[in-house]
Amino acid sequence: MQTLAHFGDGGPGPWILLFPLIWALVIGGGIALLRRTAWRGRGGPARTGPAQDSPITVLGHRFASGDIDEEEYWRRLSVLDEQFGRKGGAA
């Protein structure tokens, strides 16, 4: 029985099956390397809201966790919105 390209006659034998696996690992490793280095920061979601450590975000977290009630939230938000909120509005 002749298997894997004439193994008994000096052919490559079962080792020929490793070459596609090696190429798949090389290509997969290259893609993983590119994703971790060169492609980082591209195509991600655009940040449109306030920064994570802005006072408005901290206030929102306090309201969500129940530290402050709704009335206090809106009162403080109006003050913070004047200082840190939208710029370039109607004067």
Side-chain angles (χ1 to χ4, degrees):
M1 183 172 162
Q2 296 177 353
T3 58
L4 295 173
H6 308 286
F7 178 61
D9 295 334
W15 300 108
I16 193 78
L17 298 176
L18 286 178
F19 289 114
L21 179 64
I22 291 171
W23 278 112
L25 289 173
V26 167
I27 292 170
I31 291 173
L33 182 66
L34 284 173
R35 286 187 65 175
R36 292 183 61 91
T37 57
W39 293 340
R40 183 171 295 262
R42 292 187 189 174
R47 295 184 72 179
T48 57
Q52 281 294 92
D53 57 347
S54 74
I56 295 174
T57 305
V58 172
L59 181 66
H61 287 301
R62 288 188 62 200
F63 176 64
S65 67
D67 291 342
I68 58 175
D69 61 352
E70 185 177 1
E71 182 181 331
E72 186 175 357
Y73 170 75
W74 287 112
R75 184 173 47 84
R76 290 183 181 202
L77 182 63
S78 66
V79 171
L80 289 175
D81 199 27
E82 291 174 7
Q83 288 182 334
F84 299 102
R86 295 174 289 276
K87 305 262 190 251

